[in-house]
């Protein structure tokens, strides 16, 4: 890696990690909002789409309309994957426990590495494979406490769909990293609103729920999508997926702290293993980059 590539990698890691932090607040918002599932998705999509489009026009300014007119297949694929991940992700938390949904989503680094290898020939490095293996052990520990769980299978299936679509999105963004994807993220939020409009009841929202949904759209979705869009172009797809898996232990942790939705003992043991693998991977990469950068400087 050149010095510029090292700097880009570190910047990408920071952006993707911050996007995972923003996305990890989803459980807090879903538990705090009393509106129905479709209404939450409809209103959040409108707010999030406005937020991302505002950022896009601010960054691109005069080039914005040219970029919009040049959108093609990769942007459409990213839009579809992002929309599907939004609906399935919030649905998984809505219809089952946050811990259950995150346990299934924790497999996203392995799924993404497989998809990236199959479709774009991107081989994960040994450090990523080791970190994924350790995280997988944590997932197995977490799953061991859910074998007899009677939670909603709909929520668990939706968590599986979320995992597949997030993996697809990571690979599309990595393969087409020179294509501006912010418009696709904004359109995906509005597509989500269009799909759920026919089943939503926005006029029945209370003032408190409306305020929470606006915060949900801006903090969790718009910020998360924007940061991930910037970061995923700068790191390998498997690394981006590994970093976004920071959501796995953090999302149920916030809900546990705020709403006393206590994860199982297995989740409390396995979650820190996943977190250790992820942070360990990040620290090793940063340290390696510093060593390479110092060597190049001399």
């Amino acid at each position: 890696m050149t010095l510029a590539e090292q700097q880009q990698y570190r910047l990408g890691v920071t952006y993707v990690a911050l996007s995972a932090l923003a996305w990890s607040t989803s459980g807090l918002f879903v538990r705090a909002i009393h509106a129905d599932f479709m209404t939450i998705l409809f209103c959040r999509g409108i707010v999030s789409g406005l937020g991302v489009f505002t950022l896009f026009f601010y960054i691109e300014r005069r080039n914005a309309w040219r970029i919009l007119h040049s959108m093609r297949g990769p942007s459409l694929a990213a839009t579809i994957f992002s929309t599907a991940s939004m609906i399935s992700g919030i649905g998984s938390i809505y219809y089952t426990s946050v811990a259950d949904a995150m346990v299934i989503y924790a497999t996203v680094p392995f799924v993404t590495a497989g998809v990236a290898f199959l479709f774009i020939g991107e081989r994960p490095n040994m450090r990523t494979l080791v970190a994924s293996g350790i995280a997988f052990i944590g997932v197995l520990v977490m799953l061991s406490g859910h074998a007899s769980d009677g939670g909603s299978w709909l929520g668990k299936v939706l968590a599986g769909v979320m995992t597949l679509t997030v993996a697809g999105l990571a690979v599309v963004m990595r393969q087409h990293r020179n294509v501006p994807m912010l418009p696709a993220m904004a359109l995906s939020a509005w597509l989500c609103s269009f799909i759920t409009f026919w089943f939503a009841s926005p006029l029945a929202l209370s003032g408190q729920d409306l305020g929470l949904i606006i915060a949900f759209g801006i903090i969790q979705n718009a910020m998360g999508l924007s940061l991930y869009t910037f970061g995923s172009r700068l790191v390998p797809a498997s690394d981006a997926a590994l970093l976004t898996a920071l959501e796995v232990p953090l999302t149920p942790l916030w809900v546990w702290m705020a709403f006393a939705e206590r994860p199982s003992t297995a989740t409390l043991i396995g979650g820190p293993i996943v977190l250790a693998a992820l942070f360990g991977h990040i620290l090793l990469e940063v340290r390696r980059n510093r060593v390479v950068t110092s060597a190049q400087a001399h």
Side-chain angles (χ1 to χ4, degrees):
M1 276 186 166
T2 64
L3 177 59
E5 288 173 337
Q6 301 290 337
Q7 293 173 337
Q8 284 193 334
Y9 182 87
R10 288 198 295 270
L11 185 61
V13 166
T14 301
Y15 282 149
V16 176
L18 287 174
S19 75
L21 181 61
W23 282 337
S24 73
T25 62
S26 59
L28 286 174
F29 285 110
V30 171
R31 291 294 181 264
I33 298 169
H34 297 96
D36 64 272
F37 171 53
M38 293 297 182
T39 301
I40 292 173
L41 283 173
F42 169 72
C43 296
R44 190 192 73 147
I46 292 175
V47 173
S48 177
L50 284 171
V52 177
F53 258 132
T54 300
L55 178 62
F56 166 68
F57 277 102
Y58 174 77
I59 293 173
E60 298 296 342
R61 302 179 189 245
R62 295 180 179 178
N63 292 324
W65 290 109
R66 178 185 59 79
I67 292 172
L68 288 175
H69 282 105
S70 65
M71 290 177 67
R72 296 294 184 269
S75 298
L76 177 61
T79 299
I80 293 172
F81 280 130
S82 179
T83 300
S85 68
M86 285 184 202
I87 295 174
S88 57
I90 300 304
S92 65
I93 294 173
Y94 192 87
Y95 289 110
T96 192
S97 73
V98 174
D100 278 353
M102 291 298 102
V103 163
I104 296 169
Y105 179 65
T107 60
V108 71
F110 325 122
V111 175
T112 303
V115 172
F117 176 69
L118 288 173
F119 288 94
I120 64 175
E122 184 174 270
R123 294 177 178 272
N125 60 42
M126 184 56 65
R127 292 176 301 278
T128 300
L129 289 174
V130 171
S132 296
I134 296 172
F136 184 62
I137 293 172
V139 171
L140 291 178
V141 173
M142 295 166 77
L143 283 172
S144 69
H146 296 271
S148 59
D149 181 34
S152 167
W153 274 104
L154 174 59
K156 294 173 183 176
V157 169
L158 288 172
V161 173
M162 170 178 62
T163 302
L164 289 171
T165 52
V166 168
L169 179 62
V171 172
V172 168
M173 286 190 165
R174 179 62 177 174
Q175 185 180 17
H176 303 282
R177 48 187 171 280
N178 295 322
V179 177
M181 287 294 185
L182 272 182
M185 297 301 97
L187 286 174
S188 70
W190 282 350
L191 179 58
C192 182
S193 293
F194 176 77
I195 292 171
T196 56
F197 165 76
W198 318 98
F199 312 100
S201 304
L203 297 180
L205 282 174
S206 66
Q208 179 179 344
D209 278 351
L210 180 60
L212 286 170
I213 288 175
I214 291 173
F216 194 8
I218 294 173
I219 297 172
Q220 190 270 346
N221 205 27
M223 285 181 58
L225 286 173
S226 299
L227 288 165
Y228 183 78
T229 301
F230 294 140
S232 62
R233 299 190 305 176
L234 305 177
V235 298
S238 55
D239 284 17
L242 196 61
L243 290 165
T244 56
L246 285 167
E247 287 183 78
V248 173
L250 291 179
T251 304
L253 175 63
W254 305 146
V255 175
W256 179 27
M257 294 171 63
F259 298 100
E261 184 176 296
R262 189 180 185 278
S264 67
T265 302
T267 299
L268 292 176
I269 296 172
I273 296 175
V274 176
L275 194 60
L278 298 171
F279 275 118
H281 178 69
I282 295 168
L283 292 174
L284 283 174
E285 287 295 335
V286 170
R287 183 179 178 182
R288 186 180 68 87
N289 290 347
R290 284 178 179 172
V291 171
V292 173
T293 301
S294 299
Q296 289 177 345
H298 290 85

